[in-house]
Amino acid sequence: MSRALPNPPEAGLINAIRFGNDTFRFIEAMQDRFTDGVAVPIPGRAPLVIITNPELVHDALARPGEFGRVPATGPASYIAESGLVQSEGELWEQQRSIMAPAFIGQQVKAYANTVGRRVDTLVDEWASSIADGDGDTLSRNLHGEMTALTVRVASEILLGEDIGRERAEQFHSWMAVAGDEFEFGLDAVAPEWVPTRTDPEFREAADGILGLSEELIERRRAELADSAMAADGGKPTRNEADEDSDESDRPKDMLTMLLLAEDDPDVEYPPNQIRDEVATFLIAGHETTALSLTYTQSLLATHPEVRRRVRDEAESVIGDETPRYEHVSELEYTGRVFQEALRLYPAAWAVFRQTTTDAELGEYTVPEGSAVIMPQWSIHRDERYFENSLTFDPDRWIDRSPQSVEAYFPFSSGPHACIGRQFSITGARLALARIVQRFDVDVGADALDDLRATPTLRPGGPIEATIRPQRT
């Protein structure tokens, strides 16, 4: 017979304040104290349930009917209410089936090759700025640079259009504002009847993201209409190689697939559905990779021997060539470095769910309406699952597949696992290899001391980096 999850000994109000004031410290304390999970009573709200056992985490994530996604409300709903990362049930199944071909097969290769081309452009820009300057180094906000790189790749591959450096920098500023708005604080555990205020600056940022999304949609819609008209007239278009062209010649980007599906009688889009998807993937398509590249390079700055091994591998595998998909499988050590960085600093630091019914989980019952947190942050750092868990050690992954380690789930798991996992893994290897091959990127020893709990793991401010050309 199932039983209730244990409660921490302190009063609910005290725990609510602790969670709101220092989310990571509170999560770590619960991880240390409770083997399977804990239910934290929160005055005026449903209980906060933290699952600390990875076996139970995977069980819950395999049952989306009982452990549903948290509906987009408040400020989150300003950007998207029903994108793929928010939707459930039939709508999610419809959208996933339409969009899945944009994330597999040749699209992974296209993504990797685009990363290779873009990262070459980035390091060339760095080299030119240093050559044109007064010194032999360059100062940059590392997170901003990685955002500019990854959002341009995501927009080109997923939405069919590079938004350009200027728009990418603007997008980074919008994301910084959104991060401030979504940061966990006391309002996250305040009684539900307490009114909350939305920062006007966030409304402007949300309007900017939605405006860019609509701009991309309308431009692609017009291009598809022009192509259809030209095809009806018997004229070749940029999507038709010859008279025998068919659907296989159409662009495989996500936005094109969503727009073409509008003509399918079996597809029903809620209002603003395509805009929600575009806004969602402008964010989700770049943010976790940008953050992960930032944290990986920050770790390399304090582990010079690891950085040297990445550089040696890049020289051996890539050399003077442009990084491309064919290099990915040979960048084995670089892959282990990225895996280990994701363990210590998972950009998606927790998976959030809400129970739709009284749900049995292992030997426990999780009450209906519970806010459920399944934290990669603390499980990845638990000595029960990883020896010397706080040590950055890429060699712990030698002959050890991440998929075989239950306590390692940086991309979540179950049917709602990250659709862009392969994009992130392949792109990150190429980007890291080329950057480290060409430059030493150094940050302060305290660069990762101020991290914020938003829906992702975000730095509290710019991560200032000194970029120095690698002398061969």
Side-chain angles (χ1 to χ4, degrees), residues 46 64 66-71 88 192 352-357 368-372:
E66 297 167 83
F67 293 86
R69 285 174 158 171
V70 180
E88 293 269 34
E192 294 179 347
F352 305 93
R353 293 291 186 262
Q354 187 176 62
T355 47
T356 60
T357 185
E368 180 179 356
S370 296
V372 182

Side-chain angles (χ1 to χ4, degrees), residues 416-458:
H416 290 313
C418 176
I419 194 173
R421 175 180 177 274
Q422 282 303 117
F423 279 9
S424 181
I425 291 172
T426 57
R429 285 195 188 193
L430 295 178
L432 284 171
R434 176 56 97 213
I435 291 171
V436 172
Q437 184 186 9
R438 293 276 301 273
F439 294 93
D440 283 334
V441 178
D442 292 314
V443 301
D446 60 351
L448 302 184
D449 288 353
D450 182 20
L451 298 177
R452 307 292 175 85
T454 77
T456 54
L457 180 70
R458 292 184 61 86

Side-chain angles (χ1 to χ4, degrees), residues 89-410:
E90 292 182 0
L91 176 60
W92 175 83
E93 291 176 1
Q94 170 187 278
Q95 297 304 94
R96 181 92 178 197
S97 66
I98 292 170
M99 296 158 63
F103 293 87
I104 60 176
Q106 288 299 307
Q107 287 301 98
V108 176
K109 182 176 181 179
Y111 181 89
N113 290 341
T114 302
V115 169
R117 176 165 47 84
R118 290 279 173 213
V119 75
D120 257 2
T121 299
L122 176 66
V123 296
D124 286 345
E125 289 174 354
W126 287 354
S128 295
S129 295
I130 292 172
D132 295 340
D134 296 329
D136 59 357
T137 65
L138 184 69
S139 296
R140 287 286 188 272
N141 173 6
L142 181 57
H143 182 209
E145 293 293 287
M146 293 304 99
T147 296
L149 170 66
T150 58
V151 76
R152 292 180 70 182
V153 173
S155 67
E156 182 174 344
I157 293 298
L158 294 177
L159 308 177
E161 178 181 335
D162 170 24
I163 64 173
R165 176 82 187 197
E166 184 177 346
R167 298 296 288 274
E169 291 176 351
Q170 175 66 70
F171 202 88
H172 178 73
S173 69
W174 289 334
M175 290 299 298
V177 172
D180 290 342
E181 182 69 28
F182 294 140
E183 183 178 353
F184 281 59
L186 291 176
D187 58 336
V189 287
E192 294 179 347
W193 48 264
V194 174
T196 58
R197 175 182 178 273
T198 301
D199 192 319
E201 190 177 5
F202 169 74
R203 291 178 182 269
E204 292 180 10
D207 287 343
I209 293 170
L210 293 177
L212 176 58
S213 301
E214 291 172 344
E215 178 184 323
L216 293 167
I217 292 167
E218 291 313 308
R219 193 150 49 235
R220 176 45 61 96
R221 196 189 300 276
E223 289 173 356
L224 291 173
D226 289 345
S227 296
M229 289 180 63
D232 288 343
K235 301 174 183 178
T237 72
R238 66 181 180 89
N239 292 328
E240 295 178 304
D242 52 43
E243 293 179 358
D244 296 325
S245 293
D246 57 18
E247 286 190 12
S248 65
D249 298 300
R250 288 174 173 167
K252 299 298 191 295
D253 62 90
M254 183 192 79
L255 178 53
T256 294
M257 293 177 178
L258 288 167
L259 290 170
L260 292 176
E262 286 182 308
D263 297 329
D264 187 335
D266 294 328
V267 170
E268 294 185 13
Y269 285 151
N272 298 320
Q273 183 64 38
I274 295 180
R275 189 189 70 180
D276 277 7
E277 300 294 4
V278 171
T280 294
F281 278 93
L282 272 172
I283 298 171
H286 91 278
E287 186 187 24
T288 53
T289 305
L291 289 167
S292 298
L293 287 171
T294 300
Y295 299 146
T296 305
Q297 290 177 80
S298 298
L299 286 165
L300 292 179
T302 57
H303 295 81
E305 175 59 23
V306 175
R307 185 161 68 183
R308 184 193 63 77
R309 290 178 64 182
V310 172
R311 178 171 294 132
D312 289 347
E313 183 176 68
E315 284 288 347
S316 174
V317 172
I318 300 174
D320 294 331
E321 299 177 356
T322 297
R324 63 182 188 275
Y325 177 74
E326 286 74 18
H327 294 133
V328 172
S329 62
E330 297 181 68
L331 294 169
E332 295 181 359
Y333 184 71
T334 305
R336 294 203 298 272
V337 167
F338 188 60
Q339 287 168 203
E340 180 69 348
L342 287 178
R343 184 184 69 82
L344 284 171
Y345 295 95
W349 67 272
V351 184
F352 305 93
R353 293 291 186 262
Q354 187 176 62
T355 47
T356 60
T357 185
D358 289 346
E360 292 191 7
L361 189 64
E363 60 187 79
Y364 307 100
T365 297
V366 182
E368 180 179 356
S370 296
V372 182
I373 297 180
M374 293 165 271
Q376 288 100 320
W377 175 265
S378 56
I379 292 176
H380 283 188
R381 292 164 170 251
D382 194 323
E383 287 284 340
R384 288 174 290 183
Y385 309 118
F386 296 97
E387 186 177 356
N388 299 319
S389 62
L390 299 184
T391 300
F392 177 59
D393 179 16
D395 285 340
R396 74 171 72 242
W397 298 103
I398 293 176
D399 299 325
R400 191 183 191 190
S401 167
Q403 288 77 23
S404 69
V405 181
E406 195 170 47
Y408 182 77
F409 54 109

Side-chain angles (χ1 to χ4, degrees), residues 23-61:
T23 302
F24 293 130
R25 185 176 179 183
F26 182 81
I27 291 286
E28 289 166 355
M30 297 300 101
Q31 184 77 39
D32 289 342
R33 183 179 292 184
F34 298 97
T35 302
D36 294 326
V38 57
V40 183
I42 303 293
R45 299 181 73 97
L48 173 67
V49 171
I50 303 169
I51 305 300
T52 58
N53 181 334
E55 181 180 355
L56 298 183
V57 167
H58 291 291
D59 184 12
L61 293 176

